[in-house]
Amino acid sequence: MNSEKVTISVIGGGSWATALVKIFLDNHISKNVTWWLRDETKVRFIDEHHHNPDYLSSVTFAKDSLNVISNLTSAVTQADIIVLAIPSAFVYSAFSQLDIDKFKRKYVVSAVKGLIPETSEILGDYFKNTLKVNSDRIGVITGPCHAEEVALEKLSYLTVASENREFATQLSLLLDGRNIRTVTTDDIYGTEYSAVLKNIYAIASGICHGLRFGDNFQAVLVSNGIREIKRFIAAVHPIERDIDDSAYLGDLIVTAYSQFSRNRTFGNMLGKGYSVKSAQLEMNMIAEGYYAVKTIWEMNQELKISMPIVDFVYQIVYGGKRAKDVVDDLLISLN
């Protein structure tokens, strides 16, 4: 694959999709980037004003630097690499209308930090089982990285995962730039599940912040969180991996502590006494951990892994419990 001629379609209109478009354009492949957004009004706005009005609005794109469209079939058809950056809750409905033959000979990459709610699958499995994409044409882009810092051109690191090492290397070259560094791995399952789980722990971190716990306690919470992640990933995909690598531990830390973390923000509201519905209405972005905790909790009813933090978040988000009423049970379980 010639990186100078490869065509890329970024699917999604949120902050992470906007950041990925910026990264690809900054790496001088502007003539070959298509950006799909569902809303035709927003497509026309970006064409005219050269920035996303709703997310990372300070990021501007040069006139005629990319092709912005609202036709999903066209976005898939014209690309060599399709990068998904839409909330996991919308993936199934968005792609269920497409002819899966459109994905033949395509490389499909998940930049989604969630599970498909309808099938309880990570995106890699959804690509294989539903879209019939070969394993060696599937990739994952994950953190530790926040879109807002990409927009601010802060030095950021990305993890690129694929069972196809050659493809992972090629994709990393398309992302590497002045402010972006990449590392590659073949651990698709570990990086995807870790990216899903860290959102749940970020909600827990936010809840405890809302309950006025300090940094001392947060350190205990996060250290217990990485151990839960290790146990879960080892159960669903037992291979040799170092859970302390930045793709796992680093991604958890930035999501649990950062001011930009929407999952932490969501949890903070819950800790302060907001209802789930009220917190969702006040937020401008979707907290992926809201969907993830239900699926992970349900999976764990069979796996029987010790995951008290996941249980704590589930009780609040789906069990209707108030954070202050169930936090004592969490405290007893931590060490």
Side-chain angles (χ1 to χ4, degrees):
M1 188 186 302
N2 186 331
S3 60
E4 294 182 359
K5 295 182 179 179
V6 67
T7 54
I8 299 171
S9 284
V10 177
I11 310 299
S15 57
W16 191 216
T18 306
L20 287 167
V21 170
K22 172 182 168 57
I23 292 169
F24 288 127
L25 294 180
D26 284 351
N27 287 348
H28 309 296
I29 53 173
S30 59
K31 300 291 185 184
N32 302 325
V33 178
T34 293
W35 187 6
W36 176 87
L37 301 96
R38 184 189 305 273
D39 188 343
E40 177 61 33
T41 301
K42 188 182 289 188
V43 168
R44 291 195 297 269
F45 183 96
I46 295 172
D47 268 335
E48 181 177 352
H49 300 283
H50 320 303
H51 70 93
N52 188 337
D54 298 324
Y55 302 97
L56 306 186
S57 57
S58 64
V59 174
T60 58
F61 306 103
K63 185 178 181 181
D64 301 324
S65 64
L66 75 160
N67 179 30
V68 189
I69 62 176
S70 61
N71 186 309
L72 186 56
T73 299
S74 295
V76 169
T77 301
Q78 63 192 249
D80 299 311
I81 301 175
I82 301 154
V83 180
L84 269 72
I86 58 178
S88 59
F90 304 146
V91 171
Y92 190 87
S93 60
F95 281 83
S96 63
Q97 307 301 317
L98 290 183
D99 181 352
I100 62 171
D101 286 342
K102 301 291 183 185
F103 293 91
K104 285 184 178 178
R105 294 178 293 279
K106 305 289 185 183
Y107 290 89
V108 187
V109 178
S110 171
V112 179
K113 313 293 178 62
L115 297 161
I116 306 293
E118 292 85 353
T119 63
S120 301
E121 293 173 303
I122 57 173
L123 272 290
D125 281 344
Y126 171 76
F127 295 157
K128 283 188 289 188
N129 298 333
T130 301
L131 303 183
K132 307 304 179 185
V133 180
N134 291 336
S135 297
D136 64 355
R137 288 178 171 266
I138 294 172
V140 173
I141 300 171
T142 186
C145 187
H146 277 302
E148 290 80 2
E149 290 203 351
V150 172
L152 293 169
E153 299 188 347
K154 300 284 189 180
L155 180 62
S156 302
Y157 281 69
L158 295 174
T159 302
V160 178
S162 178
E163 294 177 5
N164 180 345
R165 283 287 195 171
E166 183 180 352
F167 174 55
T169 299
Q170 291 170 330
L171 182 57
S172 72
L173 291 174
L174 292 169
L175 293 163
D176 266 323
R178 183 167 57 91
N179 299 305
I180 301 294
R181 304 287 186 271
T182 58
V183 294
T184 62
T185 177
D186 60 1
D187 186 15
I188 285 248
Y189 282 90
T191 52
E192 279 215 77
Y193 273 116
S194 182
V196 170
L197 288 159
K198 53 96 176 181
N199 288 329
I200 300 173
Y201 300 109
I203 292 177
S205 178
I207 290 171
C208 292
H209 184 266
L211 290 170
R212 304 182 71 83
F213 286 84
D215 291 343
N216 294 342
F217 174 77
Q218 292 287 355
V220 174
L221 182 73
V222 171
S223 64
N224 277 263
I226 194 62
R227 279 176 270 162
E228 287 192 18
I229 290 175
K230 182 178 182 178
R231 290 194 292 268
F232 186 90
I233 297 175
V236 297
H237 191 60
I239 65 169
E240 189 71 27
R241 62 172 62 86
D242 187 351
I243 205 71
D244 294 331
D245 282 350
S246 59
Y248 316 99
L249 178 57
D251 205 14
L252 169 62
I253 290 172
V254 74
T255 310
Y257 282 104
S258 176
Q259 61 178 320
F260 297 122
S261 171
R262 67 195 70 176
N263 290 282
R264 179 185 167 91
T265 300
F266 177 61
N268 187 44
M269 292 181 184
L270 299 180
K272 289 181 175 180
Y274 283 66
S275 69
V276 171
K277 182 68 72 177
S278 296
Q280 288 175 319
L281 289 172
E282 187 158 322
M283 290 185 65
N284 187 31
M285 297 180 285
I286 289 174
E288 284 280 15
Y290 167 78
Y291 301 102
V293 68
K294 183 175 188 292
T295 303
I296 294 295
W297 185 87
E298 289 173 347
M299 289 176 66
N300 200 38
Q301 299 313 291
E302 294 185 11
L303 294 170
K304 306 295 184 185
I305 300 163
S306 175
M307 301 184 79
I309 304 175
V310 169
D311 293 339
F312 168 69
V313 176
Y314 180 84
Q315 288 183 73
I316 297 164
V317 175
Y318 286 95
K321 302 291 182 64
R322 294 187 302 175
K324 64 180 183 179
D325 293 334
V326 293
V327 72
D328 285 344
D329 291 337
L330 173 67
L331 301 184
I332 292 169
S333 71
L334 300 182
N335 56 67

